[in-house]
Amino acid sequence: MKTVIEDMRQGLQEEGIKRAGEVIKRGGLVAFPTETVYGLGANALDPEASEKIYSAKGRPSDNPLIVHIADWEKLNFIVRDVPEAARRLGEAFWPGPLTMIFRRKETVPLTTTGGLDTVAVRMPDHPVALGLIRAGGGYIAAPSANTSGRPSPTKASHVLEDMDGIIDMIIDGGDVGIGLESTIVDFTEEMPVILRPGYINQNMIQEVIGEVRMDQALIDEHSSVRPKAPGMKYRHYAPKAQLYIVEGAEEEVRQKIDALAEQEERRGRRAGVIVTEESVPFYHHGILKVIGSRGDELSISRHLFGILREFDEMDVQVIYSEAFHTPQMGQAIMNRLLKAAGHQIIKT
């Protein structure tokens, strides 16, 4: 299969969107930009199209797909009811990096929902994504457009690296704005539950709808409680090299990472080091990659997955990263880092 590239880095192109929409309607796969990461889209109401997503990604079939919509009224066709709290949250954050889980109607095939009687829905905040959803029939199932387990794609070249020759089309919309997948909130229980942290954090949600709890498996990474979101039990975002997160006081963290990188150099091994702009002058060993500034959380989230892919290309043997417990997105950033590291933490 030849993968077609549609260039929309300068904005939505009507003819290109029509072509992409036709691919979706005939059961094909189109990777497209959102404000979070690039998604791998197919017709959410077509069981065979959804199965193609699992096949292309090498994704476990019990890992549900998120259905992307572009208009509020489209919800009525795929969910049984929308609780008042969910409606308020949607009014506050849709379009945006928020996914909500509802009881599904039978119009949504079980292949799309990973066999569950619930459906995850979001409305992305990106003109190309919204245009494609409308052109493709209104319902596009789309996980991240990467091989399962690899770092999520934040630019079209990442998608091409994983999916060239496997999918029909890639829409190049340039670099994404946030770089981490959407927050997921489950509204099928009495109290809403956050199943995946993201740009929209717990405090922001509680300001709109009141009390909401975190999935216990997110609170305690060593808990025996099974994650309520099936996909959360799988390893994600992993680079080829083993990644370690170093936690502690900032000065001690820098000293520890620099010493570890020096040890690797003495062994003749290449060590990658993920640092912030503020900490660069304190490092003397290892291959440094600047993820952003602690004063700009989006710079950190936006560059995380790209840096992990860059280290793959550099063939480093080990990666050390500072921890990022920032105010708004710290939980989401650390959630992704911990999964990428297989929860390997070094405490100073």
Side-chain angles (χ1 to χ4, degrees), residues 16 25 35 42 68 112 116 119 126 133 142 150 155 169 189 191 204 227 236 253 260 270 289 293 324-325:
K25 287 178 178 177
E35 78 281 26
H68 291 59
T112 297
L116 300 177
V119 59
H126 195 291
I133 293 164
R150 290 212 69 203
K155 56 181 67 180
M169 182 182 289
E189 294 193 3
M191 179 183 293
M204 295 165 69
H236 289 288
V253 165
L260 289 167
R270 293 160 63 85
K289 288 285 183 183
S293 167
F324 305 105
H325 296 290

Coordinates of all heavy atoms in Angstrom, one line a residue, residues 16 25 35 42 68 112 116 119 126 133 142 150 155 169 189 191 204 227 236 253 260 270 289 293 324-325:
G16 N -8.4 18.4 -0.1 CA -7.7 17.3 0.6 C -8.6 16.7 1.7 O -8.6 15.4 1.9
K25 N -14.9 6.9 4.6 CA -16.2 6.4 4.3 C -16.1 5.0 3.6 O -17.0 4.1 3.8 CB -16.9 7.3 3.3 CG -17.5 8.6 4.0 CD -18.1 9.5 3.0 CE -18.7 10.7 3.7 NZ -19.3 11.7 2.7
E35 N -5.2 18.5 18.7 CA -4.4 19.3 19.6 C -3.5 18.5 20.6 O -2.6 19.1 21.2 CB -5.3 20.3 20.4 CG -6.1 19.7 21.5 CD -7.3 18.9 21.1 OE1 -7.4 18.4 20.0 OE2 -8.2 18.8 22.0
A42 N -10.6 5.9 11.7 CA -11.4 5.0 10.8 C -12.8 5.2 11.2 O -13.2 5.8 12.2 CB -11.0 3.5 11.0
H68 N -14.4 10.0 18.0 CA -14.3 11.5 17.8 C -15.5 12.0 17.1 O -15.8 11.5 16.0 CB -13.0 11.8 17.1 CG -11.7 11.6 17.9 ND1 -11.4 10.3 18.3 CD2 -10.7 12.4 18.3 CE1 -10.2 10.4 19.0 NE2 -9.8 11.6 18.9
T112 N -15.2 -1.5 18.3 CA -14.8 -0.1 18.6 C -14.6 0.1 20.0 O -13.7 0.8 20.5 CB -15.8 0.9 18.0 OG1 -15.9 0.8 16.6 CG2 -15.4 2.3 18.4
L116 N -16.6 -3.7 25.4 CA -17.3 -3.1 26.5 C -18.7 -2.5 26.1 O -18.9 -2.1 25.0 CB -16.5 -2.0 27.1 CG -15.1 -2.4 27.7 CD1 -14.3 -1.1 28.2 CD2 -15.2 -3.4 28.7
V119 N -18.8 3.6 25.8 CA -18.1 4.2 24.6 C -17.4 5.5 25.1 O -18.0 6.3 25.8 CB -19.1 4.4 23.4 CG1 -20.2 5.4 23.8 CG2 -18.3 5.0 22.3
H126 N -9.2 21.0 16.9 CA -8.3 21.2 15.8 C -9.1 21.3 14.5 O -9.9 20.4 14.3 CB -7.3 20.1 15.8 CG -6.1 20.3 14.9 ND1 -6.2 20.4 13.5 CD2 -4.8 20.5 15.2 CE1 -5.0 20.6 13.0 NE2 -4.1 20.7 14.0
I133 N -13.6 14.7 10.5 CA -14.7 14.0 11.2 C -16.0 14.3 10.4 O -16.8 13.4 10.1 CB -14.9 14.5 12.6 CG1 -13.7 14.0 13.4 CG2 -16.2 13.9 13.2 CD1 -13.5 14.7 14.8
A142 N -10.4 6.8 16.8 CA -9.0 7.2 16.6 C -8.1 7.1 17.9 O -8.2 7.9 18.7 CB -8.9 8.6 16.0
R150 N 4.9 2.2 21.3 CA 5.9 3.2 21.0 C 5.4 4.6 21.5 O 4.2 4.8 21.8 CB 6.1 3.3 19.5 CG 6.8 2.1 19.0 CD 7.7 2.5 17.8 NE 8.9 3.3 18.2 CZ 9.5 4.1 17.4 NH1 9.2 4.3 16.2 NH2 10.5 4.8 17.9
K155 N 4.1 14.7 15.5 CA 4.3 15.3 14.2 C 4.1 14.2 13.1 O 4.2 13.0 13.4 CB 5.6 16.0 14.1 CG 6.8 15.1 14.3 CD 8.1 15.8 14.2 CE 8.3 16.9 15.3 NZ 9.5 17.7 15.2
M169 N -3.6 7.1 4.3 CA -3.3 8.5 4.2 C -2.8 9.1 5.5 O -3.2 8.6 6.6 CB -4.5 9.3 3.7 CG -4.4 10.7 3.5 SD -5.9 11.6 3.0 CE -6.1 11.0 1.3
E189 N -20.4 5.7 36.4 CA -20.5 5.3 37.9 C -21.2 6.5 38.6 O -21.4 7.6 38.0 CB -19.2 5.1 38.5 CG -18.5 3.8 38.0 CD -17.3 3.4 38.8 OE1 -17.0 4.1 39.8 OE2 -16.6 2.4 38.5
M191 N -20.1 8.4 41.0 CA -19.2 9.5 41.0 C -18.3 9.4 39.8 O -17.7 8.4 39.6 CB -18.4 9.6 42.3 CG -17.4 10.7 42.4 SD -16.3 10.7 43.8 CE -17.6 11.0 45.1
M204 N -9.4 21.4 37.7 CA -10.2 22.1 36.7 C -11.5 21.4 36.5 O -12.5 22.1 36.3 CB -9.4 22.0 35.4 CG -8.1 22.8 35.4 SD -7.0 22.5 34.0 CE -7.9 23.2 32.6
P227 N -6.6 -1.5 36.6 CA -7.0 -0.2 36.0 C -8.4 -0.4 35.4 O -8.7 -1.4 34.7 CB -6.0 0.1 34.9 CG -4.8 -0.7 35.3 CD -5.3 -1.9 36.0
H236 N 3.2 1.6 27.6 CA 3.0 2.6 26.6 C 4.3 3.4 26.4 O 5.1 3.5 27.4 CB 1.9 3.5 26.9 CG 0.5 2.8 26.7 ND1 0.0 2.5 25.5 CD2 -0.4 2.5 27.7 CE1 -1.2 2.0 25.7 NE2 -1.5 1.9 27.0
V253 N 19.2 15.7 42.2 CA 18.8 14.9 41.0 C 19.8 15.2 39.9 O 20.3 14.3 39.2 CB 17.4 15.4 40.5 CG1 17.2 14.9 39.1 CG2 16.3 14.8 41.5
L260 N 25.6 9.2 37.0 CA 25.2 8.0 36.3 C 25.6 8.0 34.9 O 26.1 7.0 34.3 CB 23.6 7.8 36.4 CG 23.1 7.4 37.8 CD1 21.6 7.6 37.9 CD2 23.5 6.0 38.2
R270 N 26.4 4.7 25.6 CA 25.8 6.0 25.3 C 24.6 6.3 26.2 O 23.7 5.5 26.2 CB 25.4 6.2 23.9 CG 26.6 6.2 22.9 CD 26.1 5.8 21.5 NE 25.2 6.8 20.9 CZ 25.6 7.9 20.3 NH1 26.9 8.2 20.2 NH2 24.7 8.7 19.8
K289 N 19.2 16.2 26.0 CA 18.0 16.7 25.2 C 17.2 17.6 26.1 O 16.7 17.2 27.2 CB 17.2 15.5 24.7 CG 17.9 14.6 23.7 CD 17.8 15.4 22.3 CE 18.4 14.5 21.2 NZ 18.4 15.2 19.9
S293 N 11.0 24.2 29.5 CA 11.2 24.9 30.7 C 10.2 24.6 31.8 O 9.0 24.4 31.4 CB 11.1 26.4 30.4 OG 11.1 27.2 31.6
F324 N 9.1 15.7 36.7 CA 8.5 17.0 36.3 C 7.1 17.1 37.1 O 6.1 16.8 36.5 CB 8.2 17.0 34.8 CG 9.5 16.9 34.0 CD1 9.8 15.7 33.4 CD2 10.5 17.9 34.0 CE1 10.9 15.5 32.6 CE2 11.6 17.7 33.2 CZ 11.9 16.6 32.6
H325 N 7.2 17.5 38.3 CA 6.0 17.6 39.2 C 5.5 19.1 39.1 O 5.6 19.8 40.1 CB 6.3 17.2 40.6 CG 6.6 15.7 40.7 ND1 5.7 14.7 40.5 CD2 7.8 15.1 41.0 CE1 6.3 13.5 40.7 NE2 7.6 13.8 41.0

